[in-house]
Amino acid sequence: TGKAGRKSGGPSRVWDRLRPPSPPAIMHYSEHEAALLAEKLKDDSKFSEAITVLLSWIERGEVNRRSANQFYSMVQSANSHVRRLMNEKATHEQEMEEAKENFKNALTGILTQFEQIVAVFNASTRQKAWDHFSKAQRKNIDIWRKHSEELRNAQSEQLMGIRREEEMEMSDDENCDSPTKKMRVDESALAAQAYALKEENDSLRWQLDAYRNEVELLKQEKEQLFRTEENLTKDQQLQFLQQTMQGMQQQLLTIQEELNNKKSELEQAKEEQSHTQALLKVLQEQLKGTKELVETNGHSHEDSNEINVLTVALANQDRENNIEKRSQGLKSEKEALLIGIISTFLHVHPFGANIEYLWSYMQQLDSKISANEIEMLLMRLPRMFKQEFTGVGATLEKRWKLCAFEGIKTT
């Protein structure tokens, strides 16, 4: 009996090895395992395994008052997976429609090429070209033409079959849209759809509340940012106005200084004019008295020489006085700097330079200086700078030269 038992036990072991492995044991319910299962239900790759565990727990009777909320959340996750499955199905259907359309387009292209090949064979069988082929060539062309026509007809029939199927599907869709078909919709499907819509409505309401809170926060942040920008704008405007005011004050001081210079120059010119007029009167009176003496004494030649000498001496004296008045002291440190720069410039230009050339050079150092200001400064210092005329006619030009080395010898 032992041998028989051993013999009978042999095939059972082989059968045990051939049987598929039993599924893994399902873990017992706990709050921690339930939380992990809820996460798996949200993962598409682990959904099948997780839904099996959930079904086992519900069948075991793990649902009670304490765990009802957790089980409800997991059932809700399972319901949400329905929408994902429908979306996946719609995606696959769309891919299938695209594949059908691509196949139909490719088949249409193939059929077009078959038509072209058959047209070539038909043109070859016409008498104009057919007479030039040999018998063997004609036989081969005829075989090829018949084969191509058969293939073309088969492709055309297949394409027409696809188009008929599409028309039938369209007619079926129209029939499905009829009122009689709509009445046959399953009530459970409608209930499931209504429940899904309710869940979606709740989810949208929660999202709306979250969006409202975000909008309120954004409004507050925007108000704070607007206030900050407004304060910065006011500060920038105030700073800009202060800078503008300072610039205008500086321009006013410069204009006032130029006005004082013009006033002093005008007063000097008036003094020179009054002095010249007084000197002219003195000379006229002396000339008149001298003429009377000449008429009475008869010494015309010697007296006229004395008058000329006296006139020249007075004119020279007046010129020296004017030069001393014009060559008054410098008014500011800026004028001293200008004189030093101009002297250096004219020193390296021994033949002189006109006022425009000198002004263009000085503008590179001081963009606010004018040609008139430079010329007035040169005219105030006749012992340092002198003006000469060069050229003839249209080429006549006024040039300023540095004469300080000559002027210092005559002082």
Side-chain angles (χ1 to χ4, degrees):
T1 58
K3 293 181 180 179
R6 284 195 295 273
K7 289 181 180 179
S8 63
S12 64
R13 292 179 182 175
V14 174
W15 179 254
D16 290 339
R17 286 197 298 269
L18 293 176
R19 278 190 305 177
S22 59
I26 297 175
M27 74 287 291
H28 293 285
Y29 171 79
S30 66
E31 292 185 359
H32 177 68
E33 294 293 339
L36 295 177
L37 187 65
E39 293 297 327
K40 289 181 179 179
L41 286 170
K42 296 177 183 178
D43 190 354
D44 293 340
S45 61
K46 300 178 181 179
F47 180 80
S48 299
E49 177 186 353
I51 198 72
T52 304
V53 176
L54 178 61
L55 178 61
S56 300
W57 284 354
I58 295 174
E59 290 177 348
R60 287 178 184 175
E62 299 290 348
V63 182
N64 51 36
R65 288 188 178 181
R66 183 176 180 182
S67 61
N69 291 331
Q70 252 182 337
F71 274 97
Y72 176 77
S73 146
M74 289 187 285
V75 171
Q76 189 177 11
S77 298
N79 181 58
S80 300
H81 191 72
V82 173
R83 286 198 295 267
R84 293 200 293 271
L85 292 176
M86 296 303 295
N87 292 333
E88 186 177 354
K89 178 187 174 185
T91 303
H92 290 310
E93 287 178 351
Q94 185 178 0
E95 291 176 355
M96 183 178 68
E97 293 296 330
E98 291 177 355
K100 285 183 179 180
E101 187 66 25
N102 293 333
F103 176 71
K104 187 177 72 173
N105 294 334
L107 195 58
T108 303
I110 292 171
L111 183 60
T112 303
Q113 293 180 12
F114 269 116
E115 293 287 349
Q116 294 172 349
I117 293 170
V118 171
V120 170
F121 286 136
N122 290 332
S124 300
T125 57
R126 291 174 187 169
Q127 188 174 3
K128 187 184 295 184
W130 189 255
D131 293 339
H132 298 285
F133 293 118
S134 64
K135 289 182 179 181
Q137 290 175 343
R138 291 177 187 176
K139 185 178 180 180
N140 289 333
I141 292 173
D142 191 40
I143 294 171
W144 294 340
R145 179 178 61 80
K146 290 179 181 179
H147 184 62
S148 298
E149 287 177 352
E150 290 175 359
L151 292 174
R152 179 198 63 182
N153 295 333
Q155 299 296 327
S156 179
E157 185 64 28
Q158 187 178 3
L159 183 60
M160 293 301 293
I162 292 173
R163 289 177 179 172
R164 281 194 297 271
E165 288 179 0
E166 290 179 351
E167 291 175 358
M168 291 175 64
E169 288 178 359
M170 291 177 65
S171 63
D172 291 340
D173 292 339
E174 290 176 358
N175 293 331
C176 289
D177 293 336
S178 62
T180 57
K181 293 289 182 180
K182 291 181 180 178
M183 295 297 293
R184 297 176 185 174
V185 178
D186 193 3
E187 293 181 359
S188 61
L190 289 175
Q193 187 177 6
Y195 181 76
L197 290 174
K198 182 181 177 182
E199 292 292 330
E200 187 175 359
N201 189 20
D202 294 338
S203 176
L204 290 174
R205 187 169 61 252
W206 295 334
Q207 291 180 5
L208 182 61
D209 293 337
Y211 288 151
R212 285 176 180 172
N213 295 331
E214 290 181 3
V215 168
E216 291 296 330
L217 292 174
L218 288 174
K219 283 183 178 179
Q220 295 176 2
E221 292 177 358
K222 185 178 179 181
E223 290 178 357
Q224 293 178 357
L225 182 62
F226 180 74
R227 291 173 184 172
T228 306
E229 290 180 351
E230 188 176 0
N231 294 332
L232 289 174
T233 305
K234 288 182 179 179
D235 294 339
Q236 290 176 355
Q237 290 179 353
L238 182 60
Q239 186 178 3
F240 178 74
L241 290 174
Q242 289 177 352
Q243 292 177 355
T244 307
M245 185 73 71
Q246 292 176 358
M248 293 177 66
Q249 289 177 353
Q250 189 67 28
Q251 290 181 356
L252 184 61
L253 292 174
T254 305
I255 293 171
Q256 190 173 3
E257 184 179 355
E258 292 180 356
L259 182 61
N260 293 332
N261 294 336
K262 297 292 183 183
K263 285 182 179 179
S264 61
E265 292 174 0
L266 182 61
E267 290 176 358
Q268 290 178 5
K270 286 181 179 179
E271 289 179 0
E272 291 177 0
Q273 185 178 5
S274 60
H275 180 71
T276 305
Q277 289 178 354
L279 181 62
L280 182 59
K281 288 181 180 179
V282 170
L283 290 174
Q284 288 176 353
E285 291 177 358
Q286 289 180 356
L287 183 60
K288 185 177 179 182
T290 306
K291 284 182 178 180
E292 292 176 356
L293 290 175
V294 168
E295 290 176 357
T296 54
N297 298 328
H299 300 288
S300 61
H301 182 70
E302 293 177 358
D303 292 335
S304 63
N305 290 335
E306 292 177 358
I307 292 170
N308 292 333
V309 170
L310 179 61
T311 302
V312 170
L314 290 173
N316 290 333
Q317 185 179 1
D318 182 64
R319 187 182 303 167
E320 291 178 357
N321 292 332
N322 290 336
I323 288 173
E324 290 177 357
K325 288 180 180 180
R326 285 170 59 189
S327 60
Q328 56 186 347
L330 300 178
K331 296 179 180 179
S332 64
E333 186 179 0
K334 180 181 177 181
E335 289 187 354
L337 289 172
L338 291 175
I339 291 169
I341 295 170
I342 293 170
S343 300
T344 306
F345 179 79
L346 292 177
H347 181 64
V348 297
H349 292 78
F351 297 104
N354 56 21
I355 194 68
E356 288 80 10
Y357 183 27
L358 187 58
W359 175 60
S360 65
Y361 172 74
M362 294 298 295
Q363 260 203 331
Q364 298 178 4
L365 304 175
D366 185 5
S367 59
K368 296 181 180 179
I369 196 168
S370 62
N372 187 27
E373 185 179 355
I374 297 173
E375 192 169 13
M376 293 300 296
L377 181 62
L378 296 175
M379 292 174 65
R380 284 171 51 195
L381 301 169
R383 292 183 180 175
M384 286 188 66
F385 309 103
K386 66 179 180 178
Q387 193 177 32
E388 292 183 355
F389 291 90
T390 60
V392 179
T395 61
L396 187 63
E397 184 183 15
K398 293 191 296 182
R399 292 188 177 183
W400 286 92
K401 289 186 177 181
L402 180 66
C403 63
F405 298 105
E406 300 173 359
I408 198 168
K409 295 177 181 178
T410 59
T411 55

